[in-house]
Amino acid sequence: MKITALRTTAFRIPLARAIGFAHGAMADTRNVLIEVETDAGLTGIAEAPSRPFIYGESQASIVAAVRDWFAPALVGTDPFDTGALWQRLDKVQNNLTAKGAIDLALHDLMGKALGLSCRRLLGGGGDVYRPRATYVCGYSSPGEMVEEVQAVNAAYGIDAFKIKIGVEASRDAETLRLIRDALPDATLYVDGNEAFDRFRAIEVLALCADVGVVWAEEPCHHDDRAARASVGRSGAVPILGDESCRTPQEVAREIDDGCIHMVSIKVARTGYVRSRDILGLCRAHAIRPMVGSQGDSGIGVMAAGHFCAAFEETRALPAELSFHLNLAADVLTDPPRIEAGRLCLPDGPGMGVEIDRTKLKELTVE
């Protein structure tokens, strides 16, 4: 089997509710569908989320990178040759989500060729597993955020929530207290999106500990090494690395500096190959891994869900597998289902998803 083409389709899906965070707000998700075609008639699919304010990648840059660099490097090669995949991709710097999506699409393709789900392809056992889902609650008024988490809990049984903070400390404190009162048994963690200096971070983390927040994601900027090390060693709750942990090399640096206690593995930016590399670092250094969200549609949710379900370490913590619940549409024939707080993961070949071409056409952008 040989790769014959890589196809891209940019699409936009509005959010049902805008996601506010420390530096702004997100009203839609702008992703790129990547399809890897072969001479055997099989096609692997994945999506690349564009996040220019974090990764510097736009839909246009992802499409151009695939067309100009990555398709020429892969067409004519064996899709099972994943050992050399990232060596080929890394001849071009950066472009993490474009590379990650190609990796995921190739694994979807391999799963289809072998008749195995990606979970099984990654080494997951025979029993079907439903990963526990986390819901990401964007920044708004305390009352609105409480209403949002209560509604999600009632509708889907989700009892793990990531709460965006970092705009106004007094409002953060009120929000966390109200959410804890409303859902006393829920797993709560916060995401500061790198908004704090070291002193404010330590103060806010002490407040978080008082209301039972279990960890805090990126309170300080990833380039502020002194603040990160200080907060990592003296903060009141464990620190989860995200923007600082985009590659295995960055994860190794954060661990060596003593900045983090946990790592958010986002398969959208590291594919399955590099995500397993990061998981290996976590195992070696007793760092807890969890599966994060890149603002995925149903395609990315399923890709992340398979990785989460395949490994004991990632199954141990709730994963951000419910972003699609906040989308006004989806491009799949059957969007992911969440029941009793857990993602219903298909066990069909590959990712187990199918694109609805009519929906995709309606959401496609130039």
Side-chain angles (χ1 to χ4, degrees):
M1 187 190 306
K2 299 295 182 184
I3 296 171
T4 56
L6 275 71
R7 310 288 183 194
T8 58
T9 306
F11 63 96
R12 170 187 173 273
I13 303 179
L15 299 183
R17 182 194 296 260
I19 300 287
F21 54 96
H23 305 294
M26 176 178 164
D28 56 29
T29 183
R30 303 183 184 194
N31 298 353
V32 178
L33 174 68
I34 294 181
E35 300 178 86
V36 179
E37 300 175 354
T38 67
D39 56 7
L42 294 173
T43 300
I45 65 170
E47 69 175 350
S50 69
R51 295 292 175 271
F53 47 86
I54 297 176
Y55 303 106
E57 289 178 274
S58 67
Q59 287 179 307
S61 76
I62 292 168
V63 169
V66 173
R67 179 192 64 223
D68 297 340
W69 299 323
F70 301 136
L74 294 179
V75 167
T77 65
D78 180 351
F80 281 82
D81 188 14
T82 56
L85 171 63
W86 281 86
Q87 291 178 346
R88 295 189 181 101
L89 298 179
D90 282 344
K91 290 180 180 179
V92 175
Q93 293 296 306
N94 304 316
N95 297 281
L96 295 180
T97 58
K99 296 175 182 178
I102 292 170
D103 177 312
L104 296 174
L106 285 171
H107 281 84
D108 179 53
L109 175 61
M110 288 187 287
K112 290 173 178 173
L114 297 173
L116 294 174
S117 69
C118 284
R119 177 183 64 85
R120 296 296 304 278
L121 192 65
L122 290 167
D127 294 336
V128 175
Y129 181 81
R130 294 186 171 188
R132 183 183 173 201
T134 293
Y135 181 82
V136 179
C137 182
Y139 197 94
S140 58
S141 72
E144 289 173 323
M145 294 175 75
V146 172
E147 290 177 2
E148 184 174 358
V149 298
Q150 285 181 312
V152 169
N153 175 259
Y156 302 101
I158 292 175
D159 61 358
F161 297 91
K162 177 161 81 171
I163 310 300
K164 295 287 187 177
I165 64 170
V167 178
E168 184 180 330
S170 61
R171 195 159 74 170
D172 291 341
E174 181 185 0
T175 298
L176 291 172
R177 284 195 295 266
L178 289 174
I179 292 176
R180 175 54 72 203
D181 290 342
L183 298 172
D185 298 322
T187 298
L188 303 181
Y189 62 100
V190 297
D191 182 5
N193 286 112
E194 306 180 285
F196 303 108
D197 61 28
R198 76 176 77 183
F199 306 106
R200 196 66 181 140
I202 291 173
E203 180 182 347
V204 169
L205 295 185
L207 178 153
C208 289
D210 288 341
V211 295
V213 168
V214 291
W215 60 79
E217 181 177 320
E218 298 293 25
C220 303
H221 196 274
H222 64 274
D223 285 334
D224 192 344
R225 312 301 308 148
R228 295 181 63 79
S230 176
V231 172
R233 294 187 177 100
S234 59
V237 299
I239 302 301
L240 171 68
D242 177 15
E243 290 92 343
S244 63
C245 295
R246 298 167 299 179
T247 66
Q249 294 83 356
E250 289 180 348
V251 172
R253 182 193 66 191
E254 292 294 302
I255 293 172
D256 188 55
D257 286 353
C259 296
I260 58 171
H261 310 94
M262 307 171 63
V263 174
S264 179
I265 298 178
K266 294 186 174 180
V267 300
R269 69 186 174 205
T270 42
Y272 286 154
V273 171
R274 288 283 166 86
S275 294
R276 293 186 75 168
D277 292 342
I278 292 173
L279 181 58
L281 286 167
C282 292
R283 286 170 171 163
H285 294 276
I287 297 289
R288 288 187 294 169
M290 61 157 289
V291 173
S293 170
Q294 195 87 330
D296 312 298
S297 77
I299 304 169
V301 166
M302 286 304 191
H306 281 285
F307 188 86
C308 179
F311 305 102
E312 182 179 356
E313 295 90 345
T314 47
R315 291 197 301 265
L317 294 175
E320 295 168 8
L321 300 173
S322 66
F323 194 86
H324 64 292
L325 298 180
N326 194 26
L327 298 180
D330 209 320
V331 296
L332 296 180
T333 55
D334 295 305
R337 292 182 296 110
I338 291 181
E339 297 176 355
R342 293 180 176 270
L343 176 68
C344 299
L345 198 63
D347 207 38
M351 303 291 182
V353 299
E354 181 180 349
I355 301 296
D356 185 317
R357 297 292 167 176
T358 300
K359 293 179 183 177
L360 178 63
K361 185 176 181 180
E362 293 171 355
L363 298 168
T364 295
V365 297
E366 292 297 329

